[in-house]
Structure formats: C-alpha cells, structure tokens
Amino acid sequence: MKHTSNSSVAQLSELLLQRYKHIIGDQHGPDLTVEQIVERIISYYESIISCMPGNVYWLETTGHGIGCNKNVLDMFGFSSMSQFTGMSFEEMGQTGHWDPRTTQSFKNDTLEVVTTKKPKLHVQEPPIPHVDGGQIFFLTNRVPLFDDKNNVIGVVGISTDVTELKNTQNELKEAKEQAEAASQAKSEFLENMSHDVKTPLAGIIGTSELLSYRLEGDNRELAETLLLSGRQLFTFIENCLEVAKLENRNIPLPPEHFQFRAVLEEIAQLFLPAVKTKGLSFTVDYDDNIPDYLLGSRAGTYRVLLNLVGNAVKFTSSGHISIRAKLNKRPNDREAIVTLTVEDTGIGIPKDKQKKIFERFSRLTPSYKGTFEGSGIGLYIVQKFVNSMHGEIYIESEEGKGSQFKVVIPYMIPLLNNEENIDTTHSTIFRYESNKRDIPANDMLNNESAKLVLLVEDNLIAQRMESTLLESINCQVDIVDSGENAIKSCETNHYDIIFLDIGLPGMQGDEVAKALRKLEGDSHQHTPIIALTAHVSDDAREKYLESGMNDVYSKPLSREQAIHILNKYCSD
Ligand code: ADP
C-alpha cells in the first residue's frame, strides 16, 4: 500500500515537474517534495495575479470572498489574505464604508453571473469611498468559474480603477454644459438686443417711408436716403442674428410637398424690379422633366435661390442674369436630383478666392472699399442650407466675366404627383429683356372704399407708425395694446382686417388668434388676421398659421406690403 502511495506521489511530482518546468526549473526540480512543487506553482500564479492592475478577486457562488490580489487587500487595509477569505458582501461594505445600495448592487451583479452562467462585462460601478477621502470609480468585468461538469463554482471579478477617466469625463461634461450655457446666453442676448434695436429701427424705417410719400423735392430725397439706410441696417442686424442662430444648431428643414416651378416664379418676381432698375436681362429656364411637385424643403430651396440670385443682381452691372433648373438624374420613381444654376455676367470671383467666400463674414470687396453692400454671410448661409438638404454646391467664375453657382439637390418625388400634361421639353418660364417695361408697380389699392382696421400693438412707436401708414392708404384704424383688449373690441365691432403684433404682453399672438376665431364661432364672419412680428422663423410661421392667422409679415410693414395685404384680403 505504502509502496503504491509512494510511487503515485513520485508520479505526481514527475507530472508537475514536466508540466510546470518553466516555473520550477530543471535544476532543483528533482530535489523538491511534491508539497514544495505545489507551493511554488501557487506562489507563481499568486504573484502574477498580484501584479495585475486593478482589483482581482474570486468569490464563492454565495458571494463570499475566496481570494484576491494585493490591490484588494490594500483597499481594505488588510495585511493577509485570510482577512478577505470568507468575507460576505455586507462585511466588505462595512469595512470599505460603502453605501448599502452600492453593496447590494455588487452582490446582485455577482449573483446574476452565478444564475445566468454568463459574464457581466464593462459595468460602470457606483463610486465607493477612497481612503484619502475622495471617491473611486471602477469598471468591472465579472466572469463565472466552472468545474469540469459545467457547474458554476464561483465568480472572478476584475475591477479597473477609472476614477481619473471619470473625473476627466465629468470635467468635460461640465465644461460642455458651461459652454452651452454661455452660448445660449449669447444667443438670448443677441436675440433680445436685436429685438430691442429692431423695434425702434422699424419705427425709423416706417416713418421715413411715410415721409418720403408726403414730402416733395429735396426733402423727399432726404427721407428716401433715411429709408434706405434704415433698411440696410435692418438687414444687417437680421443677418447677424441669423448667423448667431445657425452657429448653435443645424437648420431643421422639414420636408414638404411643394410646387417647384412656383418657387422659381416667386424668386423671378421678387428680383424683377431690381433687375429692371439695373437694366439687365433676366431669364428663368425650367426643365419640364422635373416632376410638378417635389418632396423636400421649399424654404431651403427658396433661401438658396434668394441669396444666390441676390448676389448675382448685386454684383452685375450689365449683361444678364439667368436661373436654370434642370433634372439632373431620376435614379428611381421616388427620387429626383435637380441642378439649379444661377449665372451672371458680373464682376466674377478670382480662382484663389472661390473657397474663401463661403466663410462667414468673408467679402472680397469690403464696405470700406465702397461699391457693394453686404455682410459676407449670404454664401455661408447658402452652404448651411445646401448641407442640410444633403446637396452640393459648385462655383465657376472668371474675374471680370461673370460667375456661375451650381447647386445640386436631391429631392423625393411624392407618391401622389399629378404628372399629366407634361411635355418633355424645357421651357423658359420667365423672360425679361432689359428694354421692356411691362410690370405694373404694386402701389395701387384695388378698392378705394375705406377699411376698418384693428391694430393690436403695444409699442407706442410702432402704433403710431403703423396706424399712420394704414391711414395713408384709406384705412380707419382702431388701436388696442393687448390681446385681451383686442377680443373685447371684436365683441362689439366688425373689422375688415386685424393686424396683430406677436410679442404682446399677456396673451401671446397665437392665443389671441385662437380666441378671435373661437369668437367668430360658426358665423360666416371670417376677419383676416395678419401677424406682424420682429422676426419670424419657419416653425413660428407654421404655428401662427395653425392658430388661425391668415398671413405673417416681418416688421416694419412697408406701404407696398400694406397695399398688397389689403388688395389680397379686403377686395370685397
Ligand atoms: P455678401 O454678398 O453679403 O457680401 P456673401 O456671403 O453672399 O456676402 O458673398 C461673399 C462674397 O462673395 C461677396 O462679398 C462677394 O465678394 C463674393 N460674391 C458672391 N457672389 C458673387 C457673385 N455672383 N459675383 C461676384 N462676387 C460674388
């Protein structure tokens, strides 16, 4: 028996010496007892574990400690492993002064690994107190330990100290929040400031416009200069505000169904007076292969054209301006890629400056060099809009000869698209030859009968300016300074039209509009309500129209706009 036992110990020694040769070494192996060999192997592995970074520990399936590396012993202030062995989570929590919820979370995660037999990795642990008084954050991986029959016999945990990373993350988060708050404050300041500047400026513009109608000769010219300067300053402030807004967010451009051709026609009409004044020719070519209706951003398309055509007119003193819309590709039944080209025979842009002009506030002919007005943000805005529509913009230009801006925009084709009557040619939908004078100015009232107008406005300057303007075009104006008073007035009077300021004290413009529509109830009466506002975004415009208003205009209201509104809404 003894002989057998001795021989199996010898066999075991031999086996261990063979297998762990790299640990024990060839030289001393044969002199060692089996206990010494096992001891060397264990201490070898323990030293590997102890030099592992982070906390390494292995626990029973109940969560009680079996063993750990030196970092864990140090963390608890233990000098020997025996102090850790057999410890429950509750005891660890007490020793380490953990929050009871943290202790419970450690225990739950460990038991979960036992029950599911699956590792639980990359757990960001709640912080635990550090001996130096601070907090320590761990990122933990817990892995089940199996016996040869695939039963879970314990859990190994490896917790890495990520305190420094976490602190950096928190600092970054804090810095980001501070930066966002500062940027928000800047935007709010700009918005308030621009509102405060724009309101009196609107008064100056409106009053000078009225004066320019009342005065004659030199005095009229002076009033017109005042009006022009006011308008320039107004546009500049609006541009600055827009850039400040664009810096903080992407432009939301919700897709809508819109008639593409109508946008081009609108742009053409808008620029016709300026083109005529400068004696330029103007054509708008439209490719009839473009589906009638497109699904995309109407506002974005309009804005891009507005700025590009505006520049073309501004930087061209002779020759022509042309806008071309062409179906570039129709990859399938649902998509249409359209190229919009705006071409002019103006001053052109040198090759080496063609990238720079898309930077904000970049102008090749700054104000102090005279000649052209501008703030250098038009193309920056165009670029932003084009990006938001997932489009591309290209420029070809030669100094002294002219410029061509090409914008390629992918649109969707609506499922319901009336494509009847399409002849597949391309047509000129608009042409103006520089020597013709065929468009009547929009400064005549269609109907001369006096209109009763309710003006809802709290600002005294605006009240005076708008009422004088309306009176000058044959309106009788009642003025109230709040939404509440507007409702009272409408209970007893029937107005032909209501001009409603949006930024009122008390009830807001959209609430007032809803209340007025409610007041009309089922009666057939429907008084047009026109919103007047210092600045209107596309989303705000939608909101106002939904509340029951008929139209939205930016202040200051010009005489031409007022006539247009009366012609449109009060022509009997
Ligand atoms: P702004 O026109 O208000 O100065 P933009 O950002 O629209 O600002 O244009 C930046 C600059 O690019 C202009 O100041 C001008 O120098 C140049 N530029 C833009 N469009 C044209 C054009 N069609 N022809 C010549 N130069 C142009």
Side-chain angles (χ1 to χ4, degrees), residues 239 307-308 311-316 344 346-349 357-359 361-365 373-381 397 402-403 405:
N239 284 342
N307 287 14
L308 292 182
N311 277 347
V313 175
K314 180 160 67 175
F315 295 107
T316 307
D344 64 59
I347 59 169
I349 303 154
I357 53 171
F358 289 94
E359 291 166 14
F361 302 121
S362 143
R363 300 169 59 193
L364 306 184
T365 46
E373 294 157 13
S375 43
I377 59 160
L379 290 177
Y380 169 76
I381 290 172
S397 181
S403 310
F405 286 85

Side-chain angles (χ1 to χ4, degrees), residues 86-363:
M87 245 187 151
S88 68
F89 267 111
E90 288 73 17
E91 286 164 335
M92 291 182 214
Q94 273 170 13
T95 315
H97 307 289
W98 300 344
D99 183 296
R101 280 167 304 184
T102 305
T103 308
Q104 194 58 44
S105 144
F106 290 166
K107 186 172 178 179
N108 290 350
D109 283 353
T110 305
L111 298 181
E112 188 184 319
V113 170
V114 174
T115 6
T116 60
K117 294 187 169 185
K118 287 200 179 117
K120 196 162 176 165
L121 305 175
H122 312 304
V123 177
Q124 293 201 22
E125 307 285 18
I128 56 172
H130 194 276
V131 273
D132 70 6
Q135 282 191 320
I136 177 161
F137 291 86
F138 283 109
L139 186 77
T140 299
N141 292 322
R142 292 185 177 85
V143 184
L145 271 178
F146 296 100
D147 65 10
D148 53 1
K149 296 199 178 60
N150 205 31
N151 297 314
V152 178
I153 52 165
V155 173
V156 178
I158 303 171
S159 298
T160 315
D161 181 350
V162 289
T163 312
E164 219 166 289
L165 193 72
K166 195 88 189 167
N167 287 343
T168 315
Q169 262 179 3
N170 286 343
E171 279 163 20
L172 279 177
K173 199 170 149 224
E174 226 168 85
K176 186 169 167 261
E177 279 167 6
Q178 275 176 7
E180 277 169 0
S183 158
Q184 175 74 14
K186 185 187 81 177
S187 297
E188 272 170 29
F189 167 74
L190 261 173
E191 216 153 314
N192 286 336
M193 187 207 67
S194 86
H195 184 265
D196 292 347
V197 174
K198 275 161 76 181
T199 308
L201 191 55
I204 295 174
I205 294 172
T207 314
S208 48
E209 187 180 14
L210 285 172
L211 279 177
S212 70
Y213 278 100
R214 288 186 182 179
L215 299 173
E216 297 292 336
D218 286 354
N219 286 342
R220 181 180 196 146
E221 261 177 40
L222 289 177
E224 278 171 358
T225 310
L226 196 61
L227 176 62
L228 195 69
S229 313
R231 283 198 176 138
Q232 278 171 12
L233 188 55
F234 198 85
T235 313
F236 179 72
I237 291 170
E238 287 217 304
N239 284 342
C240 288
L241 181 66
E242 185 154 20
V243 168
K245 277 191 172 168
L246 290 181
E247 264 177 39
N248 295 328
R249 61 189 178 111
N250 280 332
I251 316 163
L253 291 176
E256 53 187 315
H257 289 82
F258 69 99
Q259 213 180 359
F260 193 67
R261 174 190 280 264
V263 177
L264 294 171
E265 283 169 353
E266 213 176 302
I267 288 285
Q269 288 300 342
L270 185 73
F271 284 102
L272 185 60
V275 163
K276 279 163 103 180
T277 316
K278 294 188 98 174
L280 305 171
S281 299
F282 189 24
T283 45
V284 181
D285 286 333
Y286 184 84
D287 176 352
D288 289 331
N289 289 308
I290 300 172
D292 267 5
Y293 281 85
L294 291 177
L295 183 59
S297 172
R298 184 195 184 283
T301 311
Y302 181 84
R303 191 57 202 271
V304 166
L305 280 172
L306 184 78
N307 287 14
L308 292 182
V309 181
N311 277 347
V313 175
K314 180 160 67 175
F315 295 107
T316 307
S317 55
S318 66
H320 77 261
I321 310 277
S322 83
I323 309 175
R324 290 191 295 278
K326 193 173 174 317
L327 182 68
N328 182 319
K329 226 189 265 174
R330 193 167 163 165
N332 52 53
D333 284 351
R334 290 295 329 263
E335 287 173 81
I337 299 173
V338 176
T339 304
L340 283 165
T341 309
V342 177
E343 195 177 72
D344 64 59
T345 52
I347 59 169
I349 303 154
K351 282 260 168 316
D352 59 329
K353 302 277 171 25
Q354 291 178 4
K355 225 171 166 183
K356 193 173 163 22
I357 53 171
F358 289 94
E359 291 166 14
R360 63 193 176 142
F361 302 121
S362 143
R363 300 169 59 193

Side-chain angles (χ1 to χ4, degrees), residues 470-484:
L470 290 165
E471 278 159 8
S472 78
I473 52 172
N474 207 17
C475 294
Q476 187 190 323
V477 186
D478 281 357
I479 305 173
V480 289
D481 60 1
S482 71
E484 289 81 353

